[in-house]
Amino acid sequence: MYLALADAIERDITAGTLAPGERLPTHRDLADVLRLNVSTVTRGYREAEKRGLISATVGRGTFVTSDAVTNSSMVSFEPCAPGMLELGLIAPLDHLDPEISEGFRRIARRKDPSALLRYSDPRGQAEHRKAGALWAERYGVPASAEDIIVCAGSQHALTCALGGLLQPGDRVAVDGLTYPGLKTLAAMLGLRLVSIAMDEYGMIPASLDAACRRDDIKALYLMPGVHNPTTASLPEARRNEIARLADKHDFILIEDDAYDLTDPGRIAPVGNRVPHRSVYIAGMSKSLAAGLRVAFTVAPQHMLKPLAQAVLNTIWMAPPLNVELTAMWITDGTADRVVAAKRAEAARRYMLACDILEGLRFRGKGTGFFLWLELPEPWTGYALEQAAARHGVNVFGAEKFVVGQSPAPNAARVSLTGTESLDQLKQGLLTLREILRGRP
């Protein structure tokens, strides 16, 4: 019966009978109407919440989530329509990645490659962790090799941080709009996300403080440098206040600044102020090469063992051959040159977007990989996503990023790097502009 109740909620949401943000009856009221035990309704609501359909807040009630009508996954497992222009997924400008064949030849000249095919320390080899410390410095994070855990990409690092340091049922504070990969991962791990209000500058510390006093927050997930999806950069004063709240409320800080290197002139990460409770993920996918699947996690000594155990429990170790290639490119300067080249290409794409989208409101970075496009009435992000798909363009509406009961703004994230060429990007942006001149 509880599964039937969850299925009914899902059907009503899909049919539009239940709208995002709509309040559901209390457990007891619904039990009386349906002539069920309250415990059955509670289990049904819990199942619907696990599916991401509803969200409950103590003292306020249970509501249909704002993203219930959209799929939070960044990748569709269905075959793409031929010729679809990718303005949704943010690709890391793959054509500017380092030349891999020469990289393998250099490795073969330097050492026996077969040594990289064996089991090794789940934390990562010593020389690889040393290179990871150098990479963390690019983000302004001081670290030594002893502070590093090597992971198989930022998503894996996030999996290890959440799975290794938290327990199912724990609450994690996040921006009201956040990285969809975190949402799906939290659902898989049984973690509860708590939406924190934000504005044009990012998370509002007073809202975080209120949430910590209301709920038992165990961790905070932040993208303070270049926020995904809004491109906001958290000011230093707010970073100081969030660090103070981390100590005050005793929660773990997880920073994942995947796009921080796309925007020079960064402010020191929040975790630098509270290194004893901070996990920083220094990824390589958006800056060097996504297929390497390498990221370096910086953490205090008392967190290293559970993080290393999480690596062991999931994949045993990040592939040493991939990490060797990454470490070589970090130490010889290749990675820095690739980052500079990708910034330059992103700048060309940003200027193209500024020309085509003139007259529309959007935010972005001059060398950034995506834009946050504010939509004219009566457009919603979901409506634009659907209309764009019919015209051969993939774009992500705000609903994909919204958490819980937070209202979805009329906005969409537009990738500038998903298409292979500038001509394809131009075609996709022109299509969006023409769509927005009409009505949903």
Side-chain angles (χ1 to χ4, degrees), residues 12-315:
D12 283 354
I13 290 172
T14 302
T17 306
L18 286 174
E22 185 170 342
R23 184 172 182 168
L24 273 63
T26 66
H27 296 209
R28 184 166 298 280
D29 286 347
L30 188 58
D32 289 343
V33 171
L34 299 179
R35 297 183 181 180
L36 297 172
N37 292 328
V38 174
S39 61
T40 302
V41 173
T42 299
R43 290 184 70 189
Y45 274 13
R46 189 179 299 126
E47 173 64 23
E49 187 169 11
K50 192 163 81 172
R51 298 181 192 179
L53 302 171
I54 63 176
S55 176
T57 301
V58 176
R60 291 193 59 223
T62 303
F63 298 81
V64 177
T65 56
S66 296
D67 62 345
V69 297
T70 188
N71 182 2
S72 291
S73 177
M74 303 296 287
V75 177
S76 172
F77 295 103
E78 299 298 324
C80 295
M84 181 74 77
L85 295 172
E86 185 59 76
L87 270 62
L89 188 67
I90 299 171
L93 299 169
D94 304 324
H95 65 286
L96 296 174
D97 290 349
E99 211 289 302
I100 194 168
S101 299
E102 175 57 25
F104 282 136
R105 283 192 288 270
R106 289 178 57 195
I107 289 175
R109 289 195 295 265
R110 289 171 47 195
K111 60 171 62 175
D112 177 10
S114 64
L116 299 170
L117 301 180
R118 301 165 188 161
Y119 283 117
S120 64
D121 189 333
R123 296 172 299 172
Q125 297 181 10
E127 61 186 291
H128 295 166
R129 288 187 278 120
K130 184 177 179 180
L134 291 175
W135 189 246
E137 290 177 5
R138 306 295 199 278
Y139 293 86
V141 180
S144 67
E146 288 71 34
D147 304 319
I148 300 292
I149 298 286
V150 184
C151 295
S154 294
Q155 187 71 17
H156 180 241
L158 189 54
T159 302
C160 291
L162 295 178
L165 302 176
L166 302 175
Q167 298 295 322
D170 282 350
R171 288 178 168 84
V172 181
V174 296
D175 288 292
L177 296 162
T178 196
Y179 165 51
L182 173 73
K183 294 166 57 179
T184 53
L185 177 58
M188 185 183 79
L189 296 175
L191 301 172
R192 303 186 67 178
L193 299 184
V194 178
S195 175
I196 308 299
M198 59 185 302
D199 58 17
E200 65 206 86
Y201 301 108
M203 183 173 287
I204 300 172
S207 178
L208 174 61
D209 188 29
C212 290
R213 286 187 275 108
R214 181 182 65 244
D215 297 313
D216 183 17
I217 301 296
K218 296 295 186 183
L220 167 66
Y221 173 81
L222 274 181
M223 298 186 79
V226 180
H227 177 260
N228 180 14
T230 69
T231 78
S233 294
L234 201 63
E236 186 161 15
R238 292 197 184 186
R239 298 185 189 216
N240 293 337
E241 179 62 10
I242 288 173
R244 186 189 71 80
L245 292 174
D247 273 336
K248 175 184 176 181
H249 296 291
D250 190 27
F251 57 72
I252 298 169
L253 171 66
I254 301 173
E255 285 183 272
D256 174 22
D257 254 336
Y259 301 97
D260 200 30
L261 294 186
T262 66
D263 183 40
R266 302 174 306 278
I267 306 171
V270 180
N272 285 15
R273 299 154 177 83
V274 282
H276 55 290
R277 59 174 69 256
S278 169
V279 174
Y280 193 93
I281 299 172
M284 307 296 303
S285 294
K286 296 300 188 290
S287 50
L288 187 62
L292 288 172
R293 306 314 305 143
V294 174
F296 302 102
T297 301
V298 186
Q301 289 297 310
H302 67 278
M303 294 185 190
L304 293 178
K305 185 175 180 179
L307 288 171
Q309 186 65 47
V311 173
L312 182 63
N313 289 345
T314 49
I315 60 169

Side-chain angles (χ1 to χ4, degrees), residues 367-439:
T367 52
F369 285 12
F370 58 94
L371 302 174
W372 185 237
L373 178 63
E374 298 178 25
L375 305 179
E377 293 288 351
W379 283 97
T380 66
Y382 182 69
L384 176 62
E385 190 174 315
Q386 297 299 303
R390 291 193 294 270
H391 286 80
V393 177
N394 188 36
V395 68
F396 291 162
E399 291 81 0
K400 190 177 288 286
F401 304 90
V402 76
V403 177
Q405 303 159 26
S406 299
N410 295 337
R413 194 192 73 181
V414 180
S415 169
L416 301 179
T417 61
T419 60
E420 291 187 9
S421 69
L422 281 172
D423 285 342
Q424 290 173 324
L425 175 61
K426 180 179 179 180
Q427 182 183 347
L429 292 172
L430 287 170
T431 300
L432 289 185
R433 187 184 70 183
E434 292 308 307
I435 291 172
L436 290 173
R437 286 178 174 174
R439 294 182 63 84

Side-chain angles (χ1 to χ4, degrees), residues 355-369:
D355 289 341
I356 294 174
L357 301 179
E358 185 177 6
L360 293 170
R361 296 185 53 159
F362 60 88
R363 285 187 282 163
K365 305 292 184 182
T367 52
F369 285 12

